[in-house]
C-alpha cells in the first residue's frame, strides 16, 4: 500500500514552507475581500455578536480541554488515553457521559473540531444571538439576552452529545455524532450556505495538511490496515444527522420558514455520500468486515428524498401526522427511523461482564487484565442481549485483549496482523486520574515452506516480559538425512526438534547468534537472523527471524 509519509519538520517555530502557505492564503483572502462588492461580515455581525460564533468556540474549547487534560494528550500527544472513556455499557455510566467528548487520536479530534467550527458556525448563525422579531428588544428576557442565547449552543451540543453516546451501538468514542447533528441542522435550514460550508471544510482540511505536512515523501510500505469504513460509527452518524434534521424542522415550523426543497435534497445527498453514510457493514470477527454497498447507496438516496419531502410547504407545517401529505409522512418517517436506530443500540449497551469472563492469565493493571490470545470467544458480543436467544452473538477474536469487569470492557485492542508487521505495540489503560501502558512484543521465525512460529510477550513499563502466547510448532519443508526439522515456540524461547519417522531423535534450544550446536544428528548454526541445518556437506536455511522482541 502506498502511503504518504511526512518529512521531518524544519527546526524553528514555523518552517518557511508553512510561512509561505500562510502568506499566500492571507494575501488571496485580502485580495478577494477588496475586489468583492459584498461585505459578508456585515450580515454575520447582524446575527452574531462581533460576527463571532462564541457558542461554537466555547464548545470546541471544552472538547479540546477534555482531550488535552482528561485524556492526557497534553503530556502524551501521540498516546491519549481512550479505553475508559468509551461507551461500553449502561452499567458503566462514566463512559456514556464521556464517550462523545473524547477522541482516539490527534487526527480524530482535529477532524471533528474543524467540522464543529464549520457546521457549528452555520447552525449558530441560523439560531442567532439577537431576537428576530421586529420590535423585540435585547436583554428584556432570557430568550432575548444574547449571552444566554450564546450559552444555549454549548448546552444543546452537550445534550446531543450525550444522546448520541447513550444510543450508539457498541463502544464508540468521538464528537462526530454532534458534528453530524449540526450538519443536519444546517443543511435543512440553510442548504446553500451549508454547501458552501461543506466545501469550505474541505479547504480547511487541505490548509491544515499543508501546514502540518508541508512536504511529504511517498514510499511503498507493508502495513496492517483495516478498511476505512470499518472505523466509522455509521449508526451514530445516522442518528446524529437525523436528530439535527428533526430539530431544524421544528425550528423552521416555529419560525414559519420554508427552505428550497431541491436544494435540501442536493445538500443532503452530497453530504451523505461524501461522509460515507452509505457504508453499511457488519463485523465478522478476526479483523474482517462485510460491506453492503448496494444497501447503503439506496439508503442515502432515500434519506435525501425523505429529508427534502419533510420541508415541503403544507398547511400543517412540519408537524408529524397521518394525513398522507408528503411533508407529514416524511416527518413521521424520520421520527420512526430515528427512534428505531436509537432503540437498536439498547441491547448492545446492556452488556454486563462478570469476573469469570475475564482472561484467566495476563498482566493485571488494577481492574484491567491485558493478555494475548487467538480465536477465542469475544465476551463483549456474548453478553449482548438478544430477544431471540439467551446469549449474544458468537464472534471470535484474536490479538492483544484488554478486559475489565468493572468497566464492562472486553476488546481485542491490537489485531494479530498489526502486531506481526510492527513487532511491538503498546496498549494504554487507566482512568480519569491515572494511566499505565503495557507493551506487546512478537518474536517471529519464518520456517521454510511452512507457517511462521512465534511467541508474544507482554510487559508493564519497567517490568520483566512474560510470555502470553506461543503458536503451534512448524516443520520445515525439507528432509535432511531422513530427518525433519521443526521449530517450536516455548515459554522461554524457541526449540529445534529433529524427528525421524514418528520418533523424536533430538530437541534443544535454538542456538544463540553466531553459534552452532548438534541436535539429533544434524548441525544447526545461527548466523544473525538465519538458522541453517547442515549434514554431509549439505547446508540449508530452515528458518529466518522476521521479528524480534525488544529488550528491556
Amino acid at each position: 500500500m502506498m502511503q504518504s509519509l511526512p518529512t521531518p519538520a524544519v527546526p524553528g517555530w514555523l518552517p518557511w514552507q508553512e510561512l509561505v502557505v500562510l502568506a499566500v492564503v492571507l494575501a488571496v483572502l485580502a485580495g478577494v475581500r477588496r475586489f468583492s462588492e459584498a461585505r459578508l461580515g456585515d450580515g454575520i455581525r447582524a446575527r452574531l455578536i462581533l460576527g463571532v460564533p462564541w457558542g461554537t468556540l466555547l464548545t470546541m474549547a471544552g472538547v479540546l480541554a477534555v482531550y488535552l487534560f482528561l485524556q492526557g494528550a497534553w503530556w502524551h500527544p501521540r498516546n491519549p488515553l481512550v479505553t475508559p472513556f468509551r461507551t461500553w455499557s449502561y452499567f458503566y455510566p462514566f463512559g456514556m457521559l464521556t464517550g462523545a467528548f473524547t477522541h482516539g487520536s490527534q487526527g480524530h479530534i482535529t477532524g471533528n473540531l474543524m467540522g464543529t467550527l464549520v457546521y457549528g458556525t452555520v447552525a449558530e448563525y441560523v439560531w442567532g444571538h439577537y431576537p428576530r422579531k421586529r420590535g423585540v428588544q435585547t436583554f428584556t428576557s432570557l430568550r432575548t439576552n444574547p449571552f444566554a442565547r450564546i450559552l444555549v449552543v454549548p448546552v444543546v451540543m452537550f445534550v446531543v452529545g450525550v444522546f448520541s453516546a447513550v444510543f450508539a451501538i457498541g463502544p464508540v468514542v468521538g464528537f462526530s455524532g454532534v458534528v453530524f447533528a449540526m450538519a443536519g441542522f444546517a443543511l435543512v435550514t440553510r442548504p446553500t450556505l451549508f454547501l458552501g460550508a461543506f466545501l469550505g471544510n474541505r479547504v480547511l482540511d487541505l490548509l491544515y495538511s499543508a501546514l502540518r505536512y508541508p512536504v511529504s515523501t511517498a514510499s511503498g510500505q507493508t502495513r496492517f490496515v483495516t478498511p476505512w469504513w470499518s472505523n466509522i460509527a455509521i449508526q451514530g452518524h445516522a442518528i446524529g444527522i437525523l436528530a439535527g434534521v428533526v430539530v431544524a424542522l421544528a425550528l423552521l415550523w416555529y419560525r414559519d420558514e420554508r427552505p428550497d426543497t431541491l436544494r435540501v435534497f442536493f445538500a443532503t445527498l452530497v453530504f451523505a455520500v461524501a461522509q460515507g453514510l452509505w457504508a453499511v457493514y457488519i463485523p465478522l470477527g478476526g479483523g474482517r468486515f462485510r460491506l453492503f454497498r448496494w444497501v447503503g447507496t439506496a439508503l442515502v438516496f432515500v434519506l435525501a428524498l425523505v429529508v427534502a419531502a419533510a420541508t415541503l410547504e403544507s398547511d400543517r407545517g412540519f408537524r408529524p401526522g397521518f394525513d398522507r401529505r408528503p411533508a407529514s409522512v416524511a416527518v413521521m418517517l424520520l421520527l420512526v427511523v430515528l427512534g428505531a436506530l436509537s432503540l437498536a443500540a439498547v441491547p448492545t449497551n446492556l452488556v454486563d461482564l462478570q469476573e469469570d469472563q475475564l482472561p484467566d492469565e495476563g498482566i493485571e493493571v488494577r481492574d484491567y487484565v491485558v493478555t494475548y490470545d487467538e480465536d477465542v470467544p469475544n465476551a463483549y458480543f456474548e453478553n449482548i442481549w438478544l430477544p431471540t436467544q439467551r446469549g449474544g452473538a458468537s464472534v471470535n477474536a484474536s490479538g492483544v485483549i484488554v478486559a475489565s469487569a468493572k468497566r464492562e470492557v472486553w476488546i481485542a485492542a491490537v489485531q494479530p496482523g498489526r502486531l506481526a508487521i510492527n513487532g511491538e505495540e503498546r496498549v494504554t489503560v487507566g482512568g480519569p486520574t491515572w494511566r499505565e501502558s503495557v507493551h506487546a512484543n512478537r518474536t517471529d521465525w519464518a520456517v521454510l515452506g511452512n507457517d511462521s512460529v512465534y511467541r508474544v510477550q507482554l510487559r508493564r513499563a519497567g517490568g520483566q516480559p512474560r510470555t502470553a502466547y506461543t503458536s503451534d510448532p512448524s516443520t520445515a519443508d525439507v528432509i535432511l538425512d531422513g530427518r525433519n526439522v521443526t521449530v517450536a515456540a516455548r515459554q522461554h524461547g524457541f526449540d529445534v526438534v529433529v524427528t525421524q519417522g514418528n520418533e523424536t531423535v533430538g530437541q534443544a534450544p535454538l542456538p544463540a547468534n553466531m553459534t552452532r550446536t548438534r541436535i539429533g544428528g544434524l548441525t544447526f548454526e545461527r548466523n544473525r537472523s538465519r538458522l541453517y541445518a547442515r549434514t554431509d556437506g549439505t547446508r540449508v536455511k530452515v528458518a529466518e527471524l522476521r521479528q524480534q522482541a525488544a529488550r528491556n
Side-chain angles (χ1 to χ4, degrees):
M1 175 182 176
M2 296 299 292
Q3 183 175 5
S4 180
L5 300 176
T7 58
V10 178
W13 180 250
L14 280 178
W16 65 269
Q17 298 101 326
E18 298 181 19
L19 290 174
V20 170
V21 173
L22 284 176
V24 171
V25 170
L26 293 176
V28 170
L29 292 178
V32 170
R33 178 175 176 82
R34 182 174 182 179
F35 299 147
S36 176
E37 296 181 358
R39 291 292 181 263
L40 297 178
D42 296 338
I44 295 177
R45 282 191 292 271
R47 302 180 70 97
L48 304 178
I49 296 177
L50 301 178
V52 177
W54 298 107
T56 299
L57 295 181
L58 284 174
T59 304
M60 293 173 62
V63 173
L64 183 60
V66 169
Y67 180 73
L68 291 177
F69 304 114
L70 186 61
Q71 294 187 255
W74 178 268
W75 303 277
H76 307 274
R78 295 187 178 182
N79 187 33
L81 182 60
V82 181
T83 301
F85 303 112
R86 288 186 180 274
T87 56
W88 295 106
S89 168
Y90 293 144
F91 297 102
Y92 182 56
F94 180 78
M96 288 291 170
L97 290 176
T98 59
F101 311 103
T102 50
H103 292 82
S105 65
Q106 188 178 83
H108 188 197
I109 189 172
T110 299
N112 279 340
L113 286 181
M114 287 197 295
T116 301
L117 177 62
V118 173
Y119 304 128
T121 298
V122 177
E124 191 166 355
Y125 173 83
V126 174
W127 168 246
H129 296 164
Y130 304 106
R132 292 175 50 80
K133 293 183 179 180
R134 293 183 178 181
V136 177
Q137 300 296 320
T138 58
F139 297 103
T140 57
S141 66
L142 281 178
R143 294 179 59 184
T144 62
N145 188 316
F147 299 107
R149 295 178 70 87
I150 288 174
L151 291 178
V152 166
V153 176
V155 170
V156 170
M157 290 188 184
F158 174 79
V159 172
V160 173
V162 173
F163 170 80
S164 67
V166 169
F167 293 106
I169 293 180
V172 301
V173 64
F175 202 59
S176 56
V178 184
V179 174
F180 272 73
M182 290 184 286
F185 181 89
L187 66 85
V188 169
T189 54
R190 295 293 187 276
T192 303
L193 183 59
F194 166 80
L195 287 174
F198 175 77
L199 296 175
N201 192 30
R202 293 295 188 266
V203 175
L204 281 179
D205 183 62
L206 173 62
L207 181 59
Y208 170 78
S209 299
L211 291 175
R212 188 177 182 191
Y213 306 119
V215 180
S216 296
T217 301
S219 63
Q221 274 198 340
T222 301
R223 294 178 62 89
F224 177 80
V225 295
T226 54
W228 63 267
W229 39 264
S230 67
N231 296 318
I232 296 178
I234 183 70
Q235 180 262 358
H237 291 180
I239 64 174
I241 191 172
L242 290 177
V245 167
V246 170
V247 173
L249 292 174
L251 181 65
L252 290 176
W253 170 75
Y254 175 77
R255 292 180 175 177
D256 196 24
E257 296 180 3
R258 301 291 186 272
D260 184 278
T261 302
L262 185 59
R263 293 179 181 179
V264 171
F265 171 82
F266 185 70
T268 306
L269 183 62
V270 167
F271 183 75
V273 171
Q275 296 299 321
L277 286 180
W278 50 267
V280 179
Y281 70 92
I282 59 173
L284 299 178
R288 298 181 302 122
F289 306 87
R290 179 164 294 156
L291 174 68
F292 301 92
R293 187 180 284 106
W294 68 274
V295 176
T297 301
L299 286 177
V300 294
F301 274 86
V302 173
L303 172 66
L305 175 63
V306 173
V307 172
T311 64
L312 288 171
E313 185 174 0
S314 69
D315 295 337
R316 290 179 58 88
F318 298 103
R319 290 172 293 178
F322 298 96
D323 57 8
R324 297 184 181 181
R325 298 186 182 185
S328 299
V329 174
V331 173
M332 180 60 68
L333 183 59
L334 287 173
L335 292 173
V336 170
V337 173
L338 176 59
L341 286 175
S342 300
L343 292 177
V346 174
T348 69
N349 294 334
L350 286 173
V351 169
D352 186 15
L353 294 176
Q354 304 300 318
E355 290 289 343
D356 58 3
Q357 293 181 295
L358 301 184
D360 295 330
E361 297 181 358
I363 292 182
E364 296 185 4
V365 184
R366 298 197 185 185
D367 58 283
Y368 293 94
V369 177
V370 181
T371 189
Y372 183 95
D373 211 337
E374 294 187 2
D375 200 27
V376 294
N378 188 314
Y380 182 86
F381 281 96
E382 287 190 336
N383 278 270
I384 295 177
W385 179 84
L386 295 175
T388 57
Q389 59 189 60
R390 294 183 60 185
S394 178
V395 176
N396 284 1
S398 301
V400 180
I401 296 169
V402 178
S404 170
K406 175 182 177 181
R407 305 174 195 273
E408 311 298 341
V409 176
W410 202 105
I411 185 174
V414 179
Q415 294 294 325
R418 178 178 163 191
L419 184 60
I421 291 175
N422 297 336
E424 179 179 4
E425 289 291 335
R426 174 180 60 182
V427 295
T428 302
V429 297
T433 60
W434 67 279
R435 59 184 285 146
E436 185 171 337
S437 294
V438 176
H439 297 264
N441 299 94
R442 169 169 162 156
T443 303
D444 192 327
W445 282 89
V447 178
L448 177 66
N450 210 334
D451 296 331
S452 293
V453 176
Y454 56 92
R455 68 170 180 159
V456 177
Q457 294 179 294
L458 303 175
R459 65 177 176 87
R460 299 172 72 166
Q464 295 297 318
R466 294 171 51 186
T467 299
Y469 183 84
T470 56
S471 67
D472 293 332
S474 182
T475 302
D477 188 17
V478 63
I479 299 177
L480 294 172
D481 197 17
R483 294 172 172 83
N484 295 102
V485 177
T486 299
V487 180
R490 306 300 187 201
Q491 287 290 318
H492 301 289
F494 292 84
D495 281 358
V496 175
V497 182
V498 179
T499 59
Q500 190 170 20
N502 294 324
E503 182 182 356
T504 299
V505 296
Q507 179 174 343
L510 190 145
N513 187 29
M514 305 308 292
T515 65
R516 66 176 60 183
T517 186
R518 192 162 179 81
I519 307 172
L522 301 178
T523 300
F524 293 88
E525 58 184 49
R526 168 104 173 260
N527 186 349
R528 296 182 175 87
S529 62
R530 296 177 177 86
L531 176 66
Y532 296 93
R534 184 191 298 273
T535 180
D536 297 332
T538 302
R539 182 173 180 261
V540 179
K541 184 180 74 172
V542 295
E544 183 174 2
L545 182 63
R546 295 290 178 85
Q547 297 285 358
Q548 185 170 7
R551 296 179 179 177
N552 288 333

